[in-house]
Each structure stands twice: as structure tokens, then as C-alpha cells.
Amino acid sequence: MDEFEAWARGRTASLSRAAYLLTGDLQRAEDLVQETLIRVAGHWRRISRSGEPDAYARTVLHRLAVDSWRRQRARPTEVSAEHPELGVAGPDVERRLLVREALLRLTPRQRAVLVLRYLDDLTEVQTAAVLGCSPNTVKSQARQALARLRDLAPDLLAELEVR
Amino acid sequence: MRQTLLDLTDDVAVRIHVDPAAAWARARRRTVRRRVGAALVAAVAVVLVVVGLRSLDPRPVALDPADHGSGGLGLPTRLGHQWLSHTLDNGDRPGAAAGLVHRQGVGWYLVLPSGRLVGLLANDDTTGEYPPAISPDGRRVAFMQLGLADDASRLVVAELDTGQMRFLSTVDAGRTRDGVPTNPLAEHRVNGQSPMRFSPDGSHLIVLGGASAAGGPEDGRAVLIGVADGVVTTVTPAGSSLAMPAGWLDDDHLVWIDGEQRQGLVTDLTGTVVQRARLGEPSGVVMTPTAEVDPSDWAQWVGPVSPDGVTVAGGVVPTSGDLAQAVVTYRIRVGETWPGSTNVGTSHLASLCPLSWGEDEMPALPRDAPELLGGEDMVVADASLHIDCSIWAGDALDGPRHRGLTGRLFGYQTAWFYWWWRELLLGAAALAGVLLLGRRRLRSRV
């Protein structure tokens, strides 16, 4: 348990960032991370022996997010209009809001590809393994996601390039 | 792009609070629940597989013969639908049977003490016109085999313990084609719609029949058949025109009821009268206000004699008034009068379905399925079997009950789902498996 707790505390920040980008909501991101930790704890003995708890947690997080999206399609949930995590006022806040809105207008899969490729810095092959699709699909989804972001926020995201 | 995403989530990490210790504890609880659930599912699956395999047991005749001497022969509690039907064949040794049942439109079946049904060769007797007979010890059955080549028929006596089957071609159902007997070997015939009865020791069989097919259907008389030697004779009480005895008094004597003359007779197997008595007026239960018991309405071939040779029972079906039926008994004793009593008024007494009698005071009444026997001897049957007649071995009526798993679980419940509980459980388990598999596949997709 101590080993798990140490790992969890070290990974909470990155998991929280990914969860927030996937859900767009603090509360739902927190629930997603907590559930991910529960799933990881349930198989801790095995995955700690394999030496890849990070990869397992990442896969669980994205698959739980998929489950969450499917449930939302069937039963939409209320999302808070307040976003204190983005700051109180100022140009940075407006920029963050704009990026957040643009991200939320992507498809769930496009969002997941962006998070894995650009936040977690995974390769196309690693991203494909997490999402259970082909590397070509990852490549095309990333290209489409970036193109759509440029359309939605051309001034702020003009510097983005497809890697 | 990475910098943009990091900037967007800069404050997120400090605003999200998770509890690794709580996650660990929750995971432990889930693991315990999952393991307990898996153990339960495994236990249920094992039970279902065992029960299913027992239901599908393709060896219905491989049962150990019942121990007649220790009273092992008994009644089943329930007769359920059969997944695999087996027909008794020459050499099969199912052991002593509890009784016989007729499935409407299907044919006659042996009932083993476990409740398993084994078809007789005479399965084409779909109307139940030729009721078979079972010896009191349940080890021997006799039945008419119909549907042979050219519509021929013959009498069959099967030894259930040894598997030996005797085919008596000299006795048939008396069928003809264009006026020519279909069985040229037949010397005697058995009339339809008449019961056959084994003597208490099972050595003789008495049937209602005649000399041969050529004798005509009106030539009805008691035909005595020696099981061991196949010798066939006819029996008529001296000085009487009675056609069929009410039953066996013992291995060497027959009891006859003459309702018209209001007298009872005891003869030996040659028809010599050894006792003649007047029938007393039946007393006891009055069937209905409009239907008095009249001994002249005695359906003498319906009833047997009690195993102790004290009481003879018969069905009385009044020809006037209410259509109620009754079981009338006469106490057979050395004297001038046999006291009579009306014991049961019932509408269940089937005219083609003979009474069965164990050691109890009253004979077992065959009733409409799903309740085949009344009172403490109740045997219930799945209505989908369409059983319309049951005949029971005397020793089975006196033996222990064979309840089986379903009997222990549900007793005498007859609603449809009590007969299909194994299938319902299997279906539920299969559905749960499909749902579980679907959920896992759903989760594995992104």
C-alpha cells in the first residue's frame, strides 16, 4: 500500500491534467482520477511487478473517459459555468477559456489523441496502443484535431504544427 | 502545443484532490466482492452442470434394480418433462418400476422410482386403449405390442430386473384386415378398453378377451395367461355369465362381483365356485343427492382386491342422475353377506384407468394430471406430459418416497416454472455471461 500511495502522489498531477483536458470539468476530472487510482490499486501487485503502472493508469484513464462520454451521450450531465482553475480575470484567462472551448468542440477521440501525443508526449504507436486503434488513425486524428483548433482559435493557435 | 496544454492546466493539479489511501481501501473491497461473486457463480455453474448432466443422462436403463425385499421400491414425487426419451428394448434392465402412465396421444411409459419415464414398445397405443399391467412388486410388466407388420399385434411380458422379454404371439389384440386376422398365430385375443391384472405373485395374468379374432368382439370372457409357460385358458364362474373378475383374492383364487344378482363369488382358476355370498347394501358416503349407489352399476373390471384379500373395490358409475362416480368396497369374508360401503365420491375416476392398491385401507385413485394420486401418496406431473392415466405397483404405493432434487426443493408445486427451473437458471446464467462479455468488450474499445 505504501508503494502504491507513493506512486499515486507522484502521478496525481499528470493524471489530473489529462483528466481535465479529457472532461473539461474539474469535478468530473477529480472523479475520473480517483476511479483510475481505484482500478490501479485493484491490480497493483501485478502491474507493479510488470514495472509499467504509468502505462496502465494512462490506459485506464482514457478508457474510463470513453465510458464517461458514452454515458453522457445517453444522459447529458450538468457542467459548471464557473472555471476558477483558469484564473479570475485578465488576458491569460480569456486565452485559456478560448483554448478550453476549442478543445471541448473536438471529438472525444481527437481530444484523447492530443492529450496523449502532446501532453503525455507519447509516440503515435504508443498512443495507438492506449486507444486501441492503428497508428495511422492516430496520425489522421491528430492532423484533423489541429486543423480544427486552428479554425476555432486562429490567432492563438497559429503557431501549432503537426509533428 | 504541449506548452499550450500545460498552460491551460496549470492550476488544475492543485484544485483536484484525490485520496490514494481511500482508493486502495475501495479497491480491496471491490476485489473481495468480485471474488465472492465469482465463487458463487462458479458454485451455481457447478450445480447446474451436475444437474444438467443428470437430466441428460443417456443411460435411463442403467439404474440399479430396486431392492424389493427391503422396501426400496417407492413412488416418485414428481414426473417432469424428459429431455431424452428411451424405449424399453429387449435386454434392458431398468429394475423394478413404480408404475405406468399413459401420455395422451403418445403412448404408455414405465415410471421408475426416480421419476424417469421409459417408453414401452406399445408407444403407438396413443389412445390408451390397451392398458398394460404391472406386477405388485414392480418387476414385471405386460403390455400389448401394436403396430407390427401388417397391423399385427402380440402380448409382451418384460422382466425389468433381468431384461428378459417374452413375446406371446398366441395372444393378440384381435385385429383383422378384410376379415382375416392380422396375426395368424393368435389363438386368444385381448379386448381393448379392459385392464389386465397380474396375480399377487406375478405368475398369472388375467385379461378380458376371447378365444380368437374369429370369435367376434362380443365373445368377451376372462382369459388366464401363465406368464412362465405361456399357457392360455379361459375362466368363467360355474353357473354365471360373468366376463371378468374384480381381482385376485390370492395366487389361486379370483373374486367376482355380480351386481345384477347382488352376489359375490370366489372361484379357483378353473372357475369352480368356492364361495358365494350376498352383497350388502353399500353404506357410508352418499355420492350426491341425486345419484344413489346401485351395485348393478358396478364396473367390476375397474377395481382390484386389496393385497390382504379382505376388500374388493370397484368403480360405480351411475347410469342415471348425476354423472358422479364412486369407489365402492365390499369386505370379503366367510359368511353369507359381504358388507359394502361407498368410500369415495369422485369425478376423477377414469373409466379406462384401473385403481391401484397398496396396503392402505383405500385404493390409490388415479386422477387427472398434474395430480396423479391424491392424499399422502400424491404424485404430481408436468402438465405438458399430458398424462391421462396412471397405474401403480402395490409395493411402490407402500414404499418410501423418492423426492429427488426438485422434490426436495419444490415439493408438490406444479406451476410451469417449477418444472423448468433448471432451464431458467441456465438461461439466466447464459444471459449474465453474454452481458458480462459484452460489457468487457465495450470497455476494451476506445
Side-chain angles (χ1 to χ4, degrees), chain B residues 214-389:
Chain B
E218 68 281 2
D219 188 24
R221 66 176 66 182
V223 175
L224 185 69
I225 302 167
V227 171
D229 53 17
V231 172
V232 181
T233 57
T234 57
V235 186
T236 303
S240 168
S241 60
L242 289 174
M244 183 67 180
W248 293 84
L249 182 62
D250 53 39
D251 294 335
D252 301 316
H253 295 92
L254 296 164
V255 176
W256 308 71
I257 298 293
D258 187 344
E260 293 286 343
Q261 301 296 323
R262 305 288 174 99
Q263 65 175 354
L265 304 172
V266 176
T267 71
D268 62 15
L269 300 187
T270 66
T272 302
V273 177
V274 298
Q275 185 188 351
R276 189 184 302 270
R278 189 170 59 84
L279 295 179
E281 285 298 320
S283 60
V285 179
V286 176
M287 288 193 298
T288 71
T290 59
E292 296 296 330
V293 173
D294 184 347
S296 64
D297 293 327
W298 173 268
Q300 64 175 350
W301 50 267
V302 172
V305 180
S306 62
D308 59 6
V310 172
T311 308
V312 59
V316 172
V317 184
T319 55
S320 61
D322 201 305
L323 291 179
Q325 302 168 344
V327 175
V328 176
T329 59
Y330 291 102
R331 305 289 289 182
I332 305 167
R333 61 183 187 181
V334 178
E336 294 183 352
T337 303
W338 291 355
S341 61
T342 308
N343 296 74
V344 177
T346 173
S347 60
H348 292 286
L349 186 58
S351 59
L352 291 182
C353 200
L355 300 176
S356 306
W357 205 330
E359 294 290 348
D360 295 329
E361 275 299 302
M362 276 303 299
L365 294 172
R367 292 174 183 259
D368 298 332
E371 183 188 340
L372 302 178
L373 290 174
E376 295 180 355
D377 286 329
M378 183 183 289
V379 178
V380 293
D382 184 352
S384 66
L385 290 172
H386 302 295
I387 293 175
D388 57 6
C389 179

Side-chain angles (χ1 to χ4, degrees), chain B residues 123 283 289 399 405:
Chain B
N123 254 1
S283 60
L405 178 61

